[in-house]
Amino acid sequence: MSDTLRNPVIVGGNRTPFAKSGTAYAAASTQQLLTAALDGLVARYGLAGEKIDEVAAGAVMKHSKDFNLTRESVLGTALDPHTPAVDLTQACATSLEAVIYLSNKIRLGQATTAIAGGVDSTSDAPIAVSEGLRKVLLQLSRERTTQGKFKALAKLRPQHLVPSPPSSGEPRTGKSMGASQAVTTEAWGISREAQDEVAYNSHQRLAKAWDSGFFDDLVTPFNGLTRDNVLRPETTLEKLASLKPVFGNTMTAGNSTALTDGAATVLLAEEDTARARGWQPLARFVDAQVAAVDFVEGNPRTDGLLMAPAYAIPELLERNGLTPQDFEIFEFHEAFAGTVLSHLKALEAQGITIPTERINPDGSSLAAGHPFAATGARIVASLAKRLHEKGPGTRGMVSICAAGGQGVVAILEAVS
């Protein structure tokens, strides 16, 4: 094993258009979505029949049959079936963590080519049986006599037949992500107008990026959809202002992310390997930091459910000897408009001011949608392309909050 660290780079990406839950992908499974995103990447970079060193991806909402989702998706693609795969999950930060995991493997010489990704579908959400029915069925399976089976079935009650859909509440608090963010939004005194402006800008900027052809080599149509259908370029501040709050007093459907279906992937490689294959590296993976907050007992201003990036960013900047002025682009995942604005206020309280004109220049999750595990890969691929356009040495930061009071941030830098 060599002591020399390699240079992991982002070569490119591919995703499906993102679809609002219950629309274009209502009948598609998470496996079909991830397979489609992978196959689009394979086609774009001529990987058919090739063995990739590893594919790492995941989903937040998985059926029990999808215990090996990424590997099964790989086997459905044109990749060599000898390509290994692993499922990773860290809520909304899943595919960013997959990028970090594989980049570190490349850095250590354990891989030269890899694919990171993520997928989610609220249209294909798993619905479980009730706990009461589950226990009866388990006992029934253990019984060996007819009498024993009847005794097990005799414990069944009408309420046991009610299914258990996925819960949006945090197990520790019972609060949904929106309800949790509403407390933090109010604690920071963030106005409805400021949130609506973030949402409006997101839609306008994403629409402009689509219209300019920016996504032509980042997205492959799927199931008849060619563009994110959450996107509302026709929206106005007046329309956003007319919506009624759904969380707290200021958070509406317009300044909160919609439930979304979709998948996204990123092609990573060791830089010399990429160049030898004729692939133009877009950006190198520099560093990353994870953090967590005490959202159960902590102050909702600083330890609100989605506030962990405000802890991770200062650590990452300090370790790399950088300031916000050293970055051209900041990609803040827009779980809610209030989330982004809360992070900015929390960072300012620590003496860190992010230039707002450098945040999400191509829009983000409010306009594109947010298939939980896919968002990180979407952002990394788009950011890498933008950084490459701006020239060597240009830096960008990715910041993603996640359920469980966690956050993941990373630095990318354009290469020549």
Side-chain angles (χ1 to χ4, degrees):
M1 178 177 174
S2 171
D3 291 333
T4 304
L5 293 177
R6 278 74 168 182
N7 200 20
V9 296
I10 291 90
V11 175
N14 184 68
R15 67 176 177 92
T16 67
F18 289 172
K20 191 173 183 179
S21 180
T23 61
Y25 306 154
S29 69
T30 52
Q31 184 176 323
Q32 289 172 324
L33 283 162
L34 183 55
T35 300
L38 287 167
D39 254 341
L41 190 74
V42 168
R44 182 164 293 132
Y45 291 96
L47 300 173
E50 289 201 29
K51 174 184 174 294
I52 296 297
D53 289 330
E54 190 168 15
V55 178
V60 175
M61 304 181 71
K62 290 170 63 173
H63 294 270
S64 57
K65 64 182 175 63
D66 290 330
F67 63 91
N68 218 2
L69 174 64
T70 307
R71 173 62 175 157
E72 289 298 327
S73 297
V74 166
L75 290 172
T77 70
L79 287 170
D80 185 325
H82 293 93
T83 298
V86 62
D87 275 30
L88 297 177
T89 305
Q90 194 182 34
C92 304
T94 292
S95 52
L96 179 55
E97 274 287 15
V99 169
I100 296 167
Y101 165 81
L102 293 170
S103 294
N104 287 335
K105 281 202 166 187
I106 291 171
R107 182 166 280 152
L108 293 173
Q110 297 172 348
T112 58
T113 57
I115 297 173
V119 59
D120 260 300
S121 171
T122 50
S123 296
D124 186 37
I127 297 178
V129 299
S130 69
E131 184 64 13
L133 179 56
R134 187 184 73 86
K135 288 181 177 179
V136 169
L137 293 174
L138 287 173
Q139 183 180 344
L140 183 65
S141 70
R142 291 191 293 266
E143 296 293 344
R144 293 292 177 264
T145 66
T146 300
Q147 184 179 13
K149 291 181 184 296
F150 274 117
K151 283 185 177 180
L153 288 171
K155 296 179 180 179
L156 196 61
R157 299 291 181 269
Q159 64 266 28
H160 293 161
L161 301 179
V162 178
S164 298
S167 172
S168 61
E170 283 287 332
R172 296 283 172 178
T173 65
K175 289 182 179 179
S176 70
M177 196 169 284
S180 299
Q181 179 57 50
V183 177
T184 299
T185 299
E186 184 175 349
W188 282 109
I190 296 168
S191 70
R192 165 72 179 271
E193 292 75 18
Q195 294 173 69
D196 285 349
E197 184 176 2
V198 170
Y200 174 75
N201 287 336
S202 189
H203 284 277
Q204 296 305 305
R205 292 168 182 176
L206 184 67
K208 183 178 179 181
W210 270 108
D211 292 343
S212 72
F214 178 73
F215 292 109
D216 289 353
D217 59 355
L218 292 172
V219 177
T220 299
F222 178 69
N223 225 32
L225 193 63
T226 59
R227 179 181 286 213
D228 307 318
N229 72 7
V230 176
L231 177 60
R232 295 289 181 267
E234 73 281 0
T235 196
T236 64
L237 287 171
E238 290 73 23
K239 287 180 181 179
L240 290 168
S242 71
L243 299 174
K244 294 181 180 179
V246 291
F247 303 112
N249 298 316
T250 61
M251 291 172 55
T252 70
N255 57 42
S256 306
T257 52
L259 294 175
T260 317
D261 309 333
T265 57
V266 177
L267 177 59
L268 302 157
E270 190 274 325
E271 184 173 3
D272 290 342
T273 298
R275 295 190 187 280
R277 294 202 52 155
W279 295 337
Q280 171 60 61
L282 301 178
R284 69 184 183 96
F285 172 83
V286 179
D287 196 6
Q289 181 67 43
V290 298
V293 295
D294 180 7
F295 67 96
V296 180
E297 302 290 344
N299 185 328
R301 277 171 63 94
T302 56
D303 276 46
L305 178 65
L306 304 181
M307 292 299 291
Y311 286 79
I313 289 172
E315 289 188 54
L316 187 61
L317 291 174
E318 182 177 2
R319 184 166 64 241
N320 287 273
L322 298 171
T323 72
Q325 295 303 322
D326 295 313
F327 292 81
E328 187 68 24
I329 300 174
F330 292 87
E331 286 283 350
F332 279 73
H333 161 47
E334 297 168 340
F336 305 90
T339 308
V340 177
L341 296 171
S342 295
H343 291 172
L344 295 179
K345 284 184 174 291
L347 290 168
E348 286 174 4
Q350 300 173 73
I352 298 171
T353 301
I354 307 293
T356 55
E357 69 276 8
R358 300 183 187 181
I359 298 174
N360 299 345
D362 296 304
S364 193
S365 306
L366 289 170
H370 175 39
F372 311 120
T375 289
R378 171 189 68 79
I379 292 174
V380 167
S382 297
L383 175 59
K385 181 177 178 179
R386 276 298 184 213
L387 293 176
H388 178 68
E389 289 177 352
K390 290 181 176 295
T394 307
R395 296 187 188 90
M397 179 180 289
V398 182
S399 174
I400 298 180
C401 54
Q406 302 189 93
V408 184
V409 297
I411 296 172
L412 305 183
E413 182 179 300
V415 295
S416 60

